[in-house]
Amino acid sequence: MNALCHERRRGVFITLEGPDGSGKSTQVRLLADRLRKCGIEPLITREPGGTRTGEQIREILQHDRTGEALVPEAETFLFLAARAQLVQTIIRPALQEGRWVVSDRFMDSTVAYQGYGRGLGAEIIERMNAWAVGDAIPDLTILLDLEPTEGLARIGPRNRANGCEADRLEREALAFHERIREGYLALAARYPKRICLLDARNGLDGISQRIWTLVEERFGYGLG
């Protein structure tokens, strides 16, 4: 029996990161399905969101309901507020119970999007993240890397299939998305033990298998 099928005494926290259009949400679903086949029921969450408060903040951040442009600092604090609520009420309790948690985005997104994309600086965002998440640091982060032009090209068909329009961040200029990718690659270089960089062009099944291999290598042995 695969070691992943044994009960684990400590929780595991996995995050998936990447630019818009990189396929994170699909890979979160596929990973969750494979974990369930091994008898592990993961807690799946997303950012911003995952709590009632976080989902309200998500509406502000994604859909610009007020019609008022958010300044970068206010945008950053909203992401951090949603994250703090999620960590303290959902993620940390689940990890303390020994559960597996898989999140579609987490703290690295704010470094990439606000630190690099908005130009606020990675160092200050990382300090703010530390305050918001405390000890809830991911055990493994899968970073799906994709050229911004390709990612943005994927967004249109996806949104049409889902009957929605591009959100506030997706509508930003190409230069903004290029800075985001730069930020993600810098994070991967800075935290190579935690962040595993994967090419998001390698096909749905190929990426899914590579993610599963990484999970097995990192957590698949000695879990009983």
Side-chain angles (χ1 to χ4, degrees):
M1 182 180 294
N2 190 302
L4 282 172
C5 298
H6 293 296
E7 182 181 358
R8 185 178 176 88
R9 295 171 184 169
R10 294 178 56 193
V12 171
F13 187 16
I14 300 172
T15 59
L16 275 82
E17 293 280 359
D20 295 302
S22 60
K24 300 176 312 304
S25 300
T26 299
Q27 293 301 332
V28 166
R29 177 177 55 80
L30 293 174
L31 175 58
D33 288 344
R34 297 194 75 159
L35 287 170
R36 291 186 186 106
K37 289 177 181 177
C38 283
I40 296 171
E41 183 59 46
L43 171 66
I44 306 301
T45 190
R46 68 176 183 175
E47 281 215 353
T51 66
R52 284 177 292 180
T53 298
E55 292 297 328
Q56 290 294 313
I57 293 173
R58 184 184 184 91
E59 284 293 309
I60 297 172
L61 286 166
Q62 285 199 325
H63 303 299
D64 197 20
R65 303 298 189 198
T66 66
E68 178 183 30
L70 284 172
V71 299
E73 292 82 359
E75 180 182 80
T76 301
F77 279 119
L78 285 171
F79 277 110
L80 291 165
R83 181 166 304 133
Q85 185 75 8
L86 180 63
V87 166
Q88 294 192 39
T89 65
I90 302 294
I91 293 176
R92 185 176 290 121
L95 293 174
Q96 289 172 344
E97 292 172 1
R99 296 193 63 184
W100 288 61
V101 178
V102 181
S103 182
D104 183 345
R105 296 197 183 280
F106 194 57
M107 61 187 192
D108 298 307
S109 285
T110 309
V111 178
Y113 278 73
Q114 282 68 51
Y116 282 81
R118 297 298 189 203
L120 295 180
E123 184 178 346
I124 188 171
I125 299 298
E126 291 208 70
R127 291 202 304 268
M128 295 168 75
N129 265 333
W131 177 57
V133 309
D135 61 353
I137 305 298
D139 299 297
L140 174 65
T141 297
I142 307 294
L143 173 55
L144 301 179
D145 179 46
L146 190 66
E147 287 280 357
T149 51
E150 186 169 348
L152 293 173
R154 292 179 178 185
I155 289 171
R158 181 200 69 190
N159 286 342
R160 287 192 293 273
N162 293 331
C164 60
E165 299 180 351
D167 68 29
R168 189 175 60 86
L169 294 174
E170 291 169 351
R171 295 194 301 268
E172 289 285 350
L174 178 60
F176 174 74
H177 294 278
E178 289 173 339
R179 292 192 298 272
I180 290 167
R181 186 184 185 217
E182 176 189 350
Y184 272 131
L185 294 177
L187 283 166
R190 184 171 179 180
Y191 302 107
K193 292 183 179 180
R194 175 173 65 85
I195 301 177
C196 293
L197 185 67
L198 299 183
D199 190 335
R201 300 171 300 171
N202 283 340
L204 195 66
D205 293 338
I207 296 168
S208 177
Q209 183 55 50
R210 180 59 181 140
I211 290 173
W212 187 246
T213 298
L214 288 169
V215 170
E216 285 190 308
E217 290 173 350
R218 188 71 62 93
F219 310 112
Y221 303 100
L223 298 182

